Amino acid sequence: MSSTWLVTGATSGFGRLVTERALATGSHVIAVGRRKDRLQELVELAPQGGLTAVELDLTDAGAERVLADTVRAAGCLDVLVNNAGYGLFGAIENIDAREARAVLDTNVLANLAVLRATLPALRLAQGRVVQTSSLIGQFAWPSSGLYAASKGAVELISEALAHEVAPTGVKVTIIEPGTFGTEFGANLRVVPPTDAYTPTVGKFLTDFSALPPEAFGDPYAVADAVMSVVALEEPPLRLAVGADAVELIRASLRSRLEELDRWESLSLKGEVRSA
């Protein structure tokens, strides 16, 4: 049976690949993106009537209304892939308020606007919500503070949402990709570190830029993962994609557990005293 999908950030990267995959299954896709030329490419790729192109900046004040009207016009919505995002890397101190606001507006507030616009239809369909996060939605590297904070917010928003919509039959999955070869790296904003952060942020950025091509995974793996979880009756809340994501998230969780255990006596010291 065909279904209706809404994909944000549909004109490049994971969003483009998921859109192509969904079209290949015979689904109707509402493809949301900012680039008119890329949207036109998708229209030409899709079967006639198979794609609704929405040229939209999700941070615009009227974006939520536009999306809600589009979903109503489509008549239903079965799958949301909330994928649009903006990359910002640099030392915390070196990122000014304007740039910090831009990454949070795009990655958090726009994500929420998309959810508000689509959840009424998704509830009716007992649909699926796929939220694109990152392996650094679970931890942070030097330089990733603002971006990781935005993806960490998406993680916790999505976890709460999963609890809230569970009685309605809507399922939520957070996709946590590792390092993949998409246009993301070419389009992200990097704030050069000042001298104080050269040993940490500067070194990390230099080392990362020197990674060989084989260090970057095949982005089709992420699109395939999205298609797989959408088809599951009981999908996972979180799915790390890529060997590096699995390895590094596992190491981060172990480190946090070890720290919790190491400092448990201090954590409980107040309780012992009050007793």
Side-chain angles (χ1 to χ4, degrees):
M1 185 195 322
S2 65
S3 55
T4 299
W5 293 48
L6 190 149
V7 182
T8 67
T11 56
S12 64
F14 301 137
R16 170 70 179 250
L17 298 179
V18 169
T19 297
E20 293 174 359
R21 288 282 199 272
L23 288 170
T25 68
S27 297
H28 176 253
V29 179
I30 301 169
V32 183
R34 293 186 301 172
R35 291 189 54 176
K36 186 175 182 178
D37 58 332
R38 294 284 187 90
L39 287 170
Q40 185 56 39
E41 289 176 7
L42 287 172
V43 170
E44 294 169 2
L45 171 74
Q48 186 171 4
L51 185 135
T52 299
V54 181
E55 184 184 355
L56 183 65
D57 184 335
L58 292 173
T59 64
D60 288 349
E64 183 179 335
R65 176 185 52 78
V66 170
L67 291 178
D69 289 347
T70 302
V71 171
R72 276 193 292 270
C76 65
L77 184 64
D78 301 286
V79 181
L80 165 66
V81 181
N82 210 354
N83 169 74
Y86 166 60
L88 173 66
F89 290 81
I92 298 294
E93 184 181 351
N94 297 158
I95 294 173
D96 64 30
R98 178 186 58 82
E99 292 192 296
R101 190 173 295 112
V103 74
L104 295 173
D105 281 349
T106 300
N107 294 358
V108 181
L109 299 182
N111 185 287
L112 288 169
V114 174
L115 289 172
R116 289 191 298 267
T118 57
L119 280 168
L122 289 164
R123 283 198 304 272
L124 288 174
Q126 296 187 324
R128 299 287 186 267
V129 175
V130 177
Q131 295 270 80
T132 302
S133 178
S134 167
L135 79 165
I136 51 174
Q138 290 275 354
F139 60 89
W141 288 321
S143 81
S144 76
L146 268 296
Y147 181 73
S150 72
K151 291 304 185 179
V154 169
E155 295 255 352
L156 292 177
I157 288 166
S158 302
E159 184 171 341
L161 178 66
H163 292 303
E164 293 166 2
V165 299
T168 72
V170 174
K171 307 294 185 182
V172 179
T173 296
I174 307 159
I175 298 290
E176 300 167 331
T179 307
F180 286 89
T182 69
E183 296 174 59
F184 179 80
N187 296 330
L188 60 81
R189 163 79 169 126
V190 176
V191 178
T194 53
D195 290 347
Y197 297 105
T198 299
T200 53
V201 172
K203 182 180 185 307
F204 179 86
L205 292 172
T206 298
D207 291 348
F208 192 84
S209 65
L211 289 174
E214 57 268 24
F216 296 84
D218 181 353
Y220 282 97
V222 177
D224 291 341
V226 171
M227 301 305 293
S228 295
V229 296
V230 165
L232 292 174
E233 186 173 339
E234 293 296 333
L237 173 61
R238 287 180 171 87
L239 183 70
V241 185
D244 60 337
V246 172
E247 177 185 350
L248 292 171
I249 290 172
R250 178 180 286 126
S252 174
L253 292 172
R254 283 176 173 163
S255 175
R256 291 177 66 181
L257 283 171
E258 288 168 3
E259 185 174 51
L260 185 68
D261 291 341
R262 185 166 61 251
W263 293 99
E264 184 176 7
S265 60
L266 182 59
S267 300
L268 301 178
K269 190 173 181 181
E271 292 186 16
V272 173
R273 183 181 300 157
S274 64

